[in-house]
Amino acid sequence: MEKSAKRKTFLFAAFFIVFFMGFYVISRWAPVAGDDWVYASAGRWNNPFVLTYRMYHIWSGRILSEFWGFTVAVHKELWNVLNAFLFTSILFLLLRLGKGEMSRWTLTDFFLTIALMLSVPNHLRMQTYTWMMGTTYVMPLFLFLLLVYSMSFFQKSSAIKWIPWICILEFCIPLYMENAAALVALAQFLWLLQAWRMRKKTWRIHFLFLAFALAGCALILFSPGAHMRMANDHAAFLSLSMGQKLAQNWPHFLARTFTDNVVLTLILLLLFAAASWHAFSSQKRVRIGIAVFFALAVILQNGWLDLLAVMTGTACIAQKEHHFEIPFVVICALGANLVMLASPIFDSRSAIYTVYLWILTILLLYRRIPVSKRLDHVVLAAVISLTCIYAGRYFEIYHMVHQISLKRDAEIAYYKTHPEEKEAWFIRYPDELVHSPDVLDEDVRHADAFRWYYGLADDLELHFYSLQSYDADSIWGKHS
């Protein structure tokens, strides 16, 4: 048994190293882009604490996100390692929270998690996986999963040593992102209710945790800069009634939560159907109704129906098991996106918390369903195939990105050594590969930041050209 456990530990450690190296490679191949230029240029020559304080008063209440930009974005090599570490740690936490101790993990669990992580929509990948300033969305995800992991130990042991650490997490996570702040406050409120309902002696300590979460929320919510930016940039949205805001963002909610995530939502609904079917094993009519309803949800791929299916599945499991785990994760997943209904911008990157909580839900559901060895082997073959397909796609995308980056680096080097040039031409990245790698027309802010970051002349006029095809010969050939 000891030898078997050691072999299993060694095998998973090897897989984690491969995963880390894969993420390190695509991080290294990803270019510095968009707001990366802005924050890195500012942070290179100024005090990051002063800059963060100033941004709080003129731009954003995301204190720790701003500080990240002024410190980490300056050092691309450091970010390459940190980004790979973050996603590897998120993979570990998902498995730990979804499956428990490593002794209970299976290869199916491991490759299912990786396949789902790689299956995210294109814009979510572009805006969070390989963009330095997009990591400000990933960091609170990692910290939230770490908070859930820490809270599980506190709830089991009630050890005082966990209290300061949990308070720090509760306070810091909201300082990264608005919907991360709402997510932490919601999760802590649910933990408080659970402790009070179960009459645990620790329920009073949860008030302390909630106070730290709300303090962080208040800091980001009442930022003078955030209010100033909202009034200047989103006055039209502010003028809408709450009903109009909800009507405008509800289609985005359904898309970001369900229909954009084709593979993830399909697996989620199938597992909810299987879990609900198993929960009502002695009631044939109920089982038939469950089968028909979930079949319609899977076939039609309608956001409203997906939402109803998830809520129905959660209710079925909660009714039969009287268990807090899955309802907690589902409520948090929906809440993280529901709060975005009040936001003027509901982009793909904001949905990263919901997407990853769905992955956790899938792991929890798969653990509850009785699966034969033969079926598990079929699932393993499927998820390994999916992982290989997605990994190949990622390699193809970022290998092309790397070739384009090398070409642009050569062009930048030319214009740095020829300051007499007044116009510069740089290769453009194809759409849907990486986030904001080119300067758009009349985008003065990013044009200035591009010149400052690469040390180009302030009066150099920037142009970006496209190629008809982006094979190696075309990239390194002459443009017309």
Side-chain angles (χ1 to χ4, degrees):
M1 290 291 288
E2 265 187 52
K3 286 185 178 179
S4 177
K6 284 183 179 178
R7 277 198 295 268
K8 187 174 185 179
T9 301
F10 177 80
L11 179 65
F12 279 118
F15 282 142
F16 273 109
I17 290 171
V18 171
F19 182 84
F20 175 90
M21 292 307 300
F23 243 97
Y24 173 78
V25 168
I26 66 171
S27 302
R28 187 170 175 269
W29 284 351
V32 180
D35 285 349
D36 297 343
W37 304 320
V38 177
Y39 282 88
S41 299
R44 188 181 291 167
W45 309 112
N46 299 282
N47 185 311
F49 293 98
V50 173
L51 289 173
T52 302
Y53 176 82
R54 186 179 301 163
M55 291 295 277
Y56 183 79
H57 286 85
I58 67 170
W59 186 254
S60 166
R62 303 170 182 175
I63 296 172
L64 293 182
S65 289
E66 299 294 337
F67 187 74
W68 169 278
F70 295 127
T71 52
V72 177
V74 183
H75 307 287
K76 176 65 160 58
E77 296 79 8
L78 171 64
W79 175 82
N80 296 340
V81 177
L82 285 176
N83 195 48
F85 170 79
L86 276 175
F87 278 98
T88 305
S89 300
I90 288 169
L91 171 62
F92 172 82
L93 288 170
L94 286 171
L95 287 164
R96 190 67 175 78
L97 292 169
K99 293 295 177 177
E101 299 287 345
M102 187 181 289
S103 59
R104 300 171 62 184
W105 299 0
T106 66
L107 288 177
T108 304
D109 302 326
F110 188 85
F111 283 101
L112 173 62
T113 309
I114 293 178
L116 294 173
M117 289 176 69
L118 298 181
S119 75
V120 297
N122 214 30
H123 283 190
L124 181 58
R125 171 192 62 78
M126 292 162 54
Q127 295 172 1
T128 57
Y129 279 36
T130 50
W131 184 40
M132 282 199 286
M133 288 310 298
T135 310
T136 58
Y137 292 80
V138 180
M139 181 62 81
L141 169 64
F142 163 67
L143 293 178
F144 178 75
L145 293 175
L146 193 60
L147 172 64
V148 177
Y149 184 56
S150 303
M151 189 65 76
S152 67
F153 282 104
F154 174 74
Q155 290 174 332
K156 289 175 185 175
S157 65
S158 301
I160 296 175
K161 65 181 180 180
W162 289 101
I163 295 176
W165 170 243
I166 291 174
C167 287
I168 290 171
L169 288 175
E170 298 266 9
F171 179 73
C172 289
I173 295 171
L175 302 182
Y176 279 97
M177 205 61 55
E178 289 82 358
N179 60 331
L183 174 60
V184 169
L186 172 62
Q188 185 51 57
F189 180 70
L190 293 174
W191 282 321
L192 172 61
L193 285 181
Q194 182 201 20
W196 176 77
R197 185 176 63 87
M198 297 179 70
R199 289 180 168 79
K200 289 188 175 181
K201 293 181 180 179
T202 57
W203 71 271
R204 292 177 180 84
I205 298 176
H206 282 279
F207 275 110
L208 175 66
F209 296 153
L210 185 59
F212 273 87
L214 293 177
C217 291
L219 267 177
I220 195 170
L221 182 63
F222 296 111
S223 159
H227 285 279
M228 184 187 304
R229 181 184 177 190
M230 181 71 79
N232 292 336
D233 296 353
H234 305 290
F237 185 82
L238 278 178
S239 66
L240 298 177
S241 67
M242 183 54 69
Q244 290 172 319
K245 291 176 183 177
L246 296 180
Q248 179 175 309
N249 275 332
W250 185 254
H252 296 304
F253 168 78
L254 294 177
R256 306 285 182 260
T257 309
F258 298 110
T259 53
D260 284 353
N261 311 294
V262 179
V263 173
L264 179 65
T265 302
L266 174 64
I267 295 173
L268 181 69
L269 294 181
L270 289 174
L271 288 178
F272 262 122
S276 302
W277 175 277
H278 179 67
F280 290 92
S281 56
S282 60
Q283 296 172 276
K284 290 184 179 179
R285 289 184 179 180
V286 176
R287 276 185 148 194
I288 293 171
I290 287 171
V292 172
F293 174 66
F294 277 94
L296 283 173
V298 168
I299 293 169
L300 296 179
Q301 296 184 0
N302 176 273
W304 277 100
L305 206 53
D306 294 339
L307 175 60
L308 186 58
V310 166
M311 294 175 68
T312 301
T314 305
C316 290
I317 293 168
Q319 180 184 352
K320 287 295 180 180
E321 294 188 6
H322 303 289
H323 207 284
F324 178 70
E325 199 172 35
I326 287 180
F328 169 79
V329 178
V330 170
I331 292 170
C332 287
L334 293 174
N337 268 359
L338 279 170
V339 72
M340 293 302 297
L341 293 175
S343 172
I345 302 174
F346 193 172
D347 213 338
S348 294
R349 55 182 175 257
S350 299
I352 189 170
Y353 314 110
T354 297
V355 167
Y356 271 77
L357 288 172
W358 286 150
I359 296 175
L360 179 56
T361 305
I362 285 171
L363 292 174
L364 292 170
L365 288 170
Y366 193 71
R367 188 175 74 187
R368 281 167 167 74
I369 299 169
V371 178
S372 65
K373 283 189 176 180
R374 181 176 294 180
L375 179 57
D376 188 66
H377 290 157
V378 172
V379 175
L380 176 60
V383 294
I384 288 177
S385 300
L386 270 178
T387 300
C388 292
I389 291 169
Y390 284 125
R393 175 173 166 268
Y394 273 59
F395 178 83
E396 183 181 0
I397 287 172
Y398 287 100
H399 185 263
M400 179 188 293
V401 165
H402 180 52
Q403 294 299 311
I404 298 169
S405 297
L406 291 175
K407 174 66 173 180
R408 183 178 284 189
D409 288 343
E411 293 168 338
I412 290 169
Y414 171 82
Y415 289 109
K416 285 178 73 173
T417 56
H418 292 77
E420 71 279 2
E421 298 278 359
K422 297 303 177 184
E423 288 187 274
W425 293 85
F426 301 105
I427 189 170
R428 185 183 293 276
Y429 291 80
D431 294 338
E432 305 301 311
L433 290 189
V434 286
H435 183 64
S436 60
D438 309 311
V439 178
L440 302 177
D441 294 339
E442 300 180 1
D443 185 354
V444 177
R445 179 169 174 260
H446 286 103
D448 288 340
F450 183 93
R451 286 187 283 259
W452 295 335
Y453 182 82
Y454 291 110
L456 300 171
D458 289 343
D459 61 347
L460 184 66
E461 188 176 343
L462 307 179
H463 302 281
F464 293 82
Y465 64 90
S466 298
L467 301 177
Q468 288 186 344
S469 66
Y470 279 83
D471 56 85
D473 291 338
S474 299
I475 291 171
W476 292 102
K478 293 182 179 180
H479 70 274
S480 56

